[in-house]
């Protein structure tokens, strides 16, 4: 077994760099709940400028950032938000917009490239009728995680923004990996989100900060967001310690994203040579690689468990696919090792040499635990 772990579960698993730790230790801090933490104020101003918006707010997580944004725009209970049926907000955020905000989700099918058809967005906008909720928001996701990290173009986003504006509704972008999209498309990030009324940016995914997200928008939007952040328990005191690390992440890691994308394509090319796998390297736009297992005798859970025995960590993406996510702490050697281990794992599983136990729920678990 290799001594080093090659962790491809997500880009959320990175450890703070030495520069981040030093910045955290030296951060000038105060009470951010009352708005006087100097490092937080400086970082928020920098992020607002970078994203081309009037103001910004640091929040503990991307889920909270999206929830605050939706609630700020849909400030009347019974409002409706249009969003993709395979979007992060709809699938992975515990239904918070409904359970906490009383916001009704109106889903539109996501295409394989992460977009929603323009005509279907238009058709989803409610006409005034006492039987219906009131449409107040459209949500996009860029990059689109469940579509394999696909990028939404500025032109597409502009079209959706025009629709929103013409109907008197708002546009929010879940930009958890918006910098990945900016780098992959070669489009400045402020241009990419120009049409949006609000954007949430995750700092702890591709950028590699230890904690947090930032939401950006107009000054009025951020004032509403501050109240909602406090309501949701997201106000923190000396938060400059975290903002200092995030500041280093933005400064140091954006320039490394293109290399993450390159390594993702190299990984996909390597996996393509394994006969038990189907993967399309041309579909890899950013830092995610999804591949299907074609042998029905092997499940993603099985394969991930055997990979873990070789210190390669991954996550099943579906009943037949696995997701690898690249980040700046994965080297070219790690990529080569991961490909080798995938091939070995198939061999071990097909020979029946691994010790896998059935669980009571019918899944499989390695005897060494998980």
């Amino acid at each position: 077994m290799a001594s080093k772990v090659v962790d491809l579960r997500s880009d959320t698993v990175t450890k703070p760099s030495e520069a981040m730790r030093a910045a955290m230790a030296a951060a000038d801090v105060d009470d951010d709940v009352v708005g006087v933490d100097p490092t937080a104020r400086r970082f928020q101003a920098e992020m607002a400028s970078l994203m081309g918006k009037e103001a910004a707010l640091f929040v503990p997580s991307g889920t909270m950032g999206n929830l605050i944004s939706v609630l700020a725009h849909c400030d009347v209970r019974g409002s409706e938000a249009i969003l993709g049926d395979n979007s992060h907000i709809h699938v992975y955020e515990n239904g918070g917009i409904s359970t906490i905000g009383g916001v009704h989700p109106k889903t539109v099918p996501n295409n394989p490239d992460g977009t929603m058809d323009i005509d279907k967005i238009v058709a989803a906008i409610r006409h005034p009728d006492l039987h219906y909720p009131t449409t107040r928001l459209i949500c996009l996701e860029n990059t689109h995680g469940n579509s394999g990290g696909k990028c939404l173009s500025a032109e597409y986003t502009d079209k959706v923004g025009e629709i929103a504006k013409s109907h008197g509704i708002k546009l929010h972008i879940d930009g958890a990996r918006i910098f990945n999209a900016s780098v992959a498309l070669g489009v400045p990030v402020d241009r990419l989100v120009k049409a949006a009324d609000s954007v949430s940016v995750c700092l702890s995914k591709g950028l590699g900060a230890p904690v947090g997200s930032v939401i950006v928008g107009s000054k009025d939007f951020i004032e509403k967001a501050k109240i909602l952040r406090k309501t949701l328990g997201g106000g923190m005191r000396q938060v400059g310690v975290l903002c200092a690390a995030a500041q280093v992440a933005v400064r140091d890691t954006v320039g490394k994203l293109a290399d993450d994308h390159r390594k993702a394509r190299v990984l996909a090319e390597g996996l393509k040579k394994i006969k038990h796998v189907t993967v399309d390297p041309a579909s890899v736009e950013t830092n995610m690689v999804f591949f299907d297992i074609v042998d029905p005798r092997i499940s993603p859970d099985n394969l991930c468990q055997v990979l873990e025995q070789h210190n390669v960590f991954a996550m099943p993406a579906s009943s037949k696919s696995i997701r690898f996510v690249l980040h700046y702490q994965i080297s070219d050697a790690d990529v080569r090792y991961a490909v080798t281990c995938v091939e070995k794992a198939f061999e071990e599983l097909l020979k029946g040499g691994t010790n896998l136990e059935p669980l009571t729920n019918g899944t499989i678990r390695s005897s060494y635990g998980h």
Side-chain angles (χ1 to χ4, degrees):
M1 181 184 290
S3 58
K4 178 188 176 183
V5 169
V6 178
D7 198 336
L8 299 169
R9 291 173 298 171
S10 178
D11 45 6
T12 61
V13 302
T14 56
K15 307 299 187 291
S17 66
E18 290 304 315
M20 291 180 200
R21 294 177 189 272
M24 293 170 77
D28 185 13
V29 297
D30 206 324
D31 190 338
D32 185 56
V33 173
V34 295
V36 293
D37 186 294
T39 303
R41 289 168 64 94
R42 191 162 51 245
F43 175 64
Q44 288 166 170
E46 289 176 6
M47 288 302 296
S49 176
L50 185 60
M51 302 298 293
K53 303 300 180 187
E54 290 180 353
L57 185 69
F58 184 89
V59 294
S61 70
T63 293
M64 184 180 285
N66 284 330
L67 178 59
I68 288 172
S69 298
V70 173
L71 300 190
H73 294 307
C74 300
D75 53 0
V76 178
R77 289 186 69 85
S79 298
E80 188 166 74
I82 297 170
L83 67 171
D85 67 340
N86 211 14
S87 65
H88 197 280
I89 293 175
H90 184 60
V91 179
Y92 298 122
E93 298 185 7
N94 213 301
I97 65 171
S98 299
T99 57
I100 296 173
V103 178
H104 187 262
K106 175 69 172 179
T107 58
V108 172
N110 280 117
N111 297 315
D113 65 357
T115 63
M116 298 177 282
D117 289 345
I118 296 293
D119 59 344
K120 292 180 181 177
I121 294 175
V122 173
I125 298 173
R126 304 281 191 176
H127 298 293
D129 188 300
L130 62 85
H131 297 90
Y132 302 146
T134 302
T135 305
R136 286 193 167 87
L137 181 66
I138 301 170
C139 298
L140 300 177
E141 181 180 334
N142 197 11
T143 63
H144 196 275
N146 273 351
S147 298
K150 296 294 194 300
C151 304
L152 306 189
S153 69
E155 293 75 17
Y156 172 79
T157 305
D158 287 348
K159 288 179 183 177
V160 178
E162 289 166 7
I163 291 166
K165 189 173 182 179
S166 68
H167 287 82
I169 59 183
K170 301 297 185 180
L171 172 61
H172 172 68
I173 296 177
D174 174 2
R177 296 181 176 91
I178 193 69
F179 282 96
N180 290 87
S182 172
V183 167
L185 294 170
V187 176
V189 70
D190 60 337
R191 172 65 189 89
L192 208 51
V193 302
K194 184 178 181 181
D197 296 286
S198 61
V199 187
S200 61
V201 181
C202 188
L203 304 162
S204 60
K205 288 194 168 89
L207 298 180
V211 178
S213 287
V214 66
I215 51 178
V216 299
S218 68
K219 290 179 180 178
D220 287 344
F221 167 80
I222 292 299
E223 285 305 309
K224 291 173 73 174
K226 287 178 182 177
I227 297 170
L228 287 163
R229 183 183 69 173
K230 179 63 175 174
T231 303
L232 295 170
M236 297 181 285
R237 300 297 177 177
Q238 286 70 43
V239 76
V241 171
L242 300 178
C243 290
Q247 201 166 25
V248 172
V250 174
R251 182 194 72 198
D252 292 354
T253 314
V254 172
K256 300 175 182 178
L257 295 177
D259 202 46
D260 293 343
H261 302 169
R262 177 191 64 79
K263 285 180 282 194
R265 291 189 291 272
V266 171
L267 177 58
E269 291 287 356
L271 293 170
K272 186 180 179 181
K273 298 174 183 177
I274 299 172
K275 66 179 181 179
H276 306 290
V277 163
T278 58
V279 61
D280 179 14
S283 72
V284 176
E285 295 183 7
T286 54
N287 65 327
M288 293 185 179
V289 180
F290 284 70
F291 65 93
D292 289 341
I293 298 171
V294 296
D295 194 316
R297 295 171 293 176
I298 297 175
S299 73
D301 284 336
N302 293 157
L303 191 64
C304 287
Q305 288 151 14
V306 177
L307 285 173
E308 190 168 336
Q309 294 176 353
H310 295 280
N311 273 7
V312 175
F313 293 177
M315 289 179 64
S318 72
S319 60
K320 65 174 185 177
S321 65
I322 288 175
R323 183 186 82 163
F324 283 161
V325 185
L326 280 291
H327 49 82
Y328 80 101
Q329 292 178 344
I330 295 295
S331 67
D332 286 288
D334 293 335
V335 169
R336 292 191 294 271
Y337 180 72
V339 172
T340 299
C341 287
V342 170
E343 192 162 23
K344 285 181 179 178
F346 276 113
E347 292 173 0
E348 291 173 19
L349 284 165
L350 291 171
K351 287 178 181 177
T354 55
N355 188 13
L356 300 172
E357 300 173 348
L359 294 179
T360 56
N361 64 3
T363 60
I364 302 296
R365 181 178 181 179
S366 299
S367 60
Y368 64 87
H370 187 67

